[in-house]
Amino acid sequence: HKHIDHATPEKVLAAIHAGETHAVIPDYQGYAEYVADGGYRKLKELRANGNWEEVQAKIKEAGLRGLGGAGFPSGTKWGFVRANAGPRYVAVNGDEGEPGTFKDRHHLEREPHMFLEGMLISAWAVEADKAFIYMRDEYPAVLELLRREIAALEKAGIVEPGYIDLRRGAGAYICGEESAMIESIEGKRGEPRHRPPFVAQVGIFGQPTLVHNVETLYWVARVCRVGPEVMNSVEKNGRKGLRNYSVSGRVANPGVFLLPAGSTITDIIEAAGGMAEGHVFKAYQPGGPSSGLLPASMSDVPLDFDTLQPHGTFIGSAAVVVLSEKDSAKEAALNMLRFFEDESCGQCTPCRVGCEKAVKLMQADTWDQDLLEELSQTMVDASICGLGQAAPNPIRMTIKHFPEEV
Ligand code: NAI
Ligand code: SF4
């Protein structure tokens, strides 16, 4: 039953008993309900007599930053893309591959039109000729509901048939890297390109391309429909806005929690119902394996963009994985490097050979810390893309915070 999606346990069980092997579509807000709730009014209004710079100003005022994990200011990106002559494209990154990240799926399975309207508003803002959605194939229910809802948009005349091109990923983590995703959309092997030029200048088929993550576009629609205050009216620990934290690991109720951007791990564990029974909090990944492990003692740091930089790591996609005293930091770090070794596209030597070598060194009873540090620095300095540059984070964080284990 590998294609059965976990909509609700009841639905999945019913599907299994009925012998179904296709995706179980979760209950979600369809086109008619979304329109009844005021949906697509903003898009129509903007298309009729909107000014893209006014919308950009609103997005900037809201403080919206790229929620794939890099936190690049979203409104600024629109300007970069528009600065280049068309035809221009929009490409949505729905290849949510960072282990522990499931917030895009959460929104897509509930309010797909909020995301679709955000995408069409962005496409209008940069005058895009076409919008590509690159969706993770491991989300079969999402793919199916998007097919249905895109057909509904075409039928309603909101988009021309074919304007939205839904593409399936094929299970490669690297295809979530924006230029590898673009290579894949072009029908090639998913290997990252060198930067510059940025995809805003040279993207799909050499044309300027606006790449946004699913959740970023969800918030574009919310900000346009409600106003910047939907994001900027919340303040905590000196940080403004809201963050969706995907929380998993040793907590009582794993899930996606929308909390103030200045939330600490203590707030996040509390939102997830506390620690799972019998577990004592020991460590956490703030943003998936790319961010490495932090110790429980760092429980008062707001988990937002920029706040973890002084500690040598970053929040990324806010994939918070909680570990307990029953877990080994050393084993967890090795597991993370095995993941990177497996997912490295193999294009450049520092990452391809570096991940493999790191895994070997990390299997020793006692780590050769000097050699691992030298290897880490080489990977950071010389890898082409973020995968190879971030892969040493679990090594460095473990040496720094759990020296007794390694
Ligand atoms: P980046 O900071 O290099 O770029 C972010 C975005 O800004 C890109 O779209 C880039 O094209 C654009 N940009 C940056 N400088 C620009 C310039 N001067 N001109 C025009 N455009 C510019 O980060 P990157 O490598 O795209 O993403 C890294 C993040 O992705 C990490 O935080 C990591 O945690 C996260 N990530 C998320 C995953 C997920 O499943 N959500 C999976 C793996 C990584
Ligand atoms: Fe490929 Fe790794 Fe090089 Fe990125 S850093 S291009 S994933 S080999």
Side-chain angles (χ1 to χ4, degrees):
H1 294 284
K2 93 184 215 296
H3 291 302
I4 289 182
D5 206 348
H6 295 271
T8 65
E10 291 77 10
K11 279 189 179 180
V12 173
L13 274 180
I16 290 171
H17 291 313
E20 289 177 26
T21 54
H22 57 267
V24 177
I25 307 297
D27 293 325
Y28 67 90
Q29 187 187 41
Y31 176 72
E33 286 168 274
Y34 185 70
V35 169
D37 189 37
Y40 293 110
R41 220 183 281 161
K42 197 74 203 172
L43 175 71
K44 287 179 182 164
E45 202 182 293
L46 291 170
R47 281 178 175 175
N49 57 6
N51 174 325
W52 80 270
E53 278 166 313
E54 279 174 22
V55 181
Q56 183 194 39
K58 248 192 212 176
I59 298 290
K60 285 187 177 176
E61 195 185 331
L64 184 60
R65 296 172 65 172
L67 296 167
F72 193 82
S74 306
T76 307
K77 239 187 204 183
W78 291 8
F80 284 154
V81 174
R82 281 196 67 111
N84 298 287
R88 306 186 188 102
Y89 299 120
V90 164
V92 180
N93 192 342
D95 200 60
E96 186 171 40
E98 187 74 358
T101 313
F102 39 88
K103 65 191 178 54
D104 294 348
R105 170 181 170 178
H106 176 91
H107 284 297
L108 287 164
E109 287 186 346
R110 284 161 182 77
E111 297 173 287
H113 284 283
M114 190 66 77
F115 146 69
L116 287 166
E117 185 169 8
M119 176 185 81
L120 293 175
I121 290 173
S122 306
W124 161 82
V126 299
E127 295 176 356
D129 282 23
K130 203 170 153 89
F132 294 85
I133 303 177
Y134 192 86
M135 189 50 60
R136 189 175 162 80
D137 199 38
E138 294 89 328
Y139 291 173
V142 168
L143 275 158
E144 182 53 31
L145 73 85
L146 281 177
R147 274 183 211 114
R148 289 182 190 178
E149 299 312 308
I150 292 167
L153 287 178
E154 291 177 353
K155 195 162 164 239
I158 292 189
V159 290
E160 295 284 324
Y163 181 81
I164 304 176
D165 195 336
L166 180 63
R167 298 293 184 92
R168 286 165 49 215
Y173 173 70
I174 197 56
C175 287
E177 196 283 339
E178 60 178 6
S179 60
M181 175 185 78
I182 285 175
E183 290 281 302
S184 178
I185 289 173
E186 291 180 357
K188 299 187 225 146
R189 182 182 171 128
E191 286 181 345
R193 297 175 181 169
H194 285 271
R195 292 168 167 180
F198 287 94
V199 299
Q201 297 143 350
V202 182
I204 298 176
F205 298 118
Q207 296 305 122
T209 303
L210 178 72
V211 177
H212 275 317
N213 155 267
V214 167
E215 194 200 344
T216 309
L217 295 168
Y218 171 91
W219 287 104
V220 165
R222 279 227 178 277
V223 169
C224 287
R225 289 185 56 176
V226 182
E229 62 275 15
V230 74
M231 295 205 86
N232 70 13
S233 58
V234 183
E235 202 167 334
K236 182 169 178 163
N237 292 331
R239 310 297 304 178
K240 265 194 180 174
L242 294 166
R243 283 283 161 269
N244 265 308
Y245 296 95
S246 308
V247 189
S248 63
R250 310 293 201 176
V251 289
N253 303 311
V256 175
F257 299 93
L258 185 61
L259 301 172
S263 298
T264 63
I265 189 66
T266 310
D267 303 320
I268 292 167
I269 293 176
E270 194 187 318
M275 292 297 290
E277 215 181 313
H279 289 276
V280 176
F281 179 37
K282 167 178 170 176
Y284 63 107
Q285 277 177 45
S290 302
S291 62
L293 279 175
L294 296 176
S297 58
M298 279 179 66
S299 59
D300 55 355
V301 189
L303 298 181
D304 192 13
F305 295 127
D306 315 324
T307 55
L308 290 172
Q309 257 83 343
H311 303 283
T313 185
F314 53 80
I315 180 71
S317 55
V320 178
V321 184
V322 177
L323 271 62
S324 80
E325 292 291 354
K326 292 187 178 167
D327 303 309
S328 148
K330 185 183 174 200
E331 287 298 317
L334 174 59
N335 189 39
M336 294 177 217
L337 261 295
R338 282 197 169 120
F339 171 77
F340 290 128
E341 179 191 23
D342 203 41
E343 294 296 340
S344 164
C345 82
Q347 183 185 186
C348 61
T349 310
C351 168
R352 183 187 65 248
V353 178
C355 288
E356 191 192 346
K357 198 169 168 65
V359 165
K360 284 192 181 134
L361 289 168
M362 291 165 84
Q363 283 168 327
D365 288 339
T366 306
W367 286 5
D368 183 337
Q369 296 188 17
D370 291 343
L371 193 52
L372 275 165
E373 175 48 34
E374 196 184 325
L375 180 62
S376 296
Q377 194 57 47
T378 306
M379 292 170 74
V380 170
D381 288 343
S383 294
I384 291 177
C385 84
L387 190 155
Q389 291 158 13
N393 278 342
I395 305 173
R396 286 177 156 170
M397 292 292 118
T398 306
I399 291 174
K400 185 169 172 192
H401 299 295
F402 306 92
E404 67 288 354
E405 286 195 36
V406 298

